Amino acid sequence: MATSKDGNSASAQKDSEIFIAAIDLGTSFSGWAFAPYSDLEQEIKPNIYIKSWYSTYTQFATVKTPTCVLIKPDGQTLDSFGYEKIEKI
């Protein structure tokens, strides 16, 4: 079995998947999605996976969450994001 310069076997590299990601950081709401690159290479309709956000404010899942963050007192660590942040205040 062939080994690459970084020590990974060729079969391990072949099994890895490349994804295309989209991040929407909006003024009010944000969201993200991703799709396997292999779907695009095969010219088939890609499977697009979208993050679902849940809130106690709505009974339904949404594809976007409020664009707001809560930083811990150390000033560097993310405490929470989106609906989770809103529910903490």
Side-chain angles (χ1 to χ4, degrees), residues 31-34 49-54 62-64:
W32 58 267
F34 65 93
Y49 301 93
I50 300 171
K51 165 72 174 149
S52 295
W53 303 91
Y54 298 92
T62 62
V63 295
K64 292 195 173 188

Side-chain angles (χ1 to χ4, degrees), residues 53-64:
W53 303 91
Y54 298 92
S55 165
T56 57
Y57 301 106
T58 178
Q59 67 187 57
F60 304 106
T62 62
V63 295
K64 292 195 173 188

Side-chain angles (χ1 to χ4, degrees), residues 2-10 13:
T3 304
S4 67
K5 291 180 183 177
D6 62 2
N8 293 327
S9 68
Q13 289 177 346

Side-chain angles (χ1 to χ4, degrees), residues 63-84:
V63 295
K64 292 195 173 188
T65 190
T67 305
C68 52
V69 296
L70 181 60
I71 305 295
K72 291 186 178 182
D74 66 10
Q76 297 180 357
T77 309
L78 176 69
D79 181 279
S80 53
F81 175 77
Y83 287 120
E84 183 182 348

Side-chain angles (χ1 to χ4, degrees), residues 18-23 32-37 46-51:
I18 296 174
F19 290 89
I20 296 173
I23 302 170
W32 58 267
F34 65 93
Y37 185 74
N47 292 312
I48 299 174
Y49 301 93
I50 300 171
K51 165 72 174 149

